[in-house]
């Protein structure tokens, strides 16, 4: 779903899938690895494992448009992720 769209009904499974959301106000998150706070303006929730190939080829191109439009954000992978430099 595009950022800011309402939740959509999944017709096959009759469940609601989460959409990407632009936050009404920014959130500061503590990054334990770098000992600094990160500003988050949007969250994109992905119901998948974030392997390196999927992240680089599918997710990054999508969320880079969000970064240009809304500022820094957060991608939440439901089933974990592989290490990435970005």
């Amino acid at each position: 779903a595009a950022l800011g769209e309402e939740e959509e009904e999944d017709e096959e499974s009759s469940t609601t899938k989460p959409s990407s959301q632009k936050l009404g106000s920014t959130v500061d998150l503590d990054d334990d690895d770098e000992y600094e706070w990160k500003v988050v303006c949007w969250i994109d929730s992905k119901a998948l494992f974030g392997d390196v190939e999927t992240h680089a080829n599918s997710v990054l191109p999508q969320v880079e448009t969000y970064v240009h439009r809304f500022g820094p954000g957060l991608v939440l992978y439901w089933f974990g992720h592989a290490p990435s430099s970005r």
Side-chain angles (χ1 to χ4, degrees), residues 47-79:
L48 50 87
F49 177 79
D51 64 90
V52 173
E53 184 176 329
T54 300
H55 182 75
N57 297 329
S58 297
V59 176
L60 274 182
Q62 176 188 11
V63 300
E64 283 177 346
T65 64
Y66 299 165
V67 172
H68 292 299
R69 292 174 61 196
F70 305 113
L74 177 126
V75 177
L76 176 69
Y77 288 105
W78 292 15
F79 303 106

Side-chain angles (χ1 to χ4, degrees), residues 17-29:
K17 33 184 197 177
S19 62
S20 305
Q21 289 294 315
K22 181 177 181 291
L23 302 175
S25 60
T26 60
V27 176
D28 294 324
L29 297 177

Side-chain angles (χ1 to χ4, degrees), residues 7-41:
E7 291 184 346
E8 301 172 4
E9 184 83 14
D10 184 344
E11 295 175 13
E12 289 184 31
S13 65
S14 296
T15 60
T16 304
K17 33 184 197 177
S19 62
S20 305
Q21 289 294 315
K22 181 177 181 291
L23 302 175
S25 60
T26 60
V27 176
D28 294 324
L29 297 177
D30 183 14
D31 184 348
D32 288 334
D33 294 336
E34 297 181 20
Y35 301 104
E36 62 183 62
W37 290 85
K38 303 287 186 184
V39 173
V40 175
C41 299

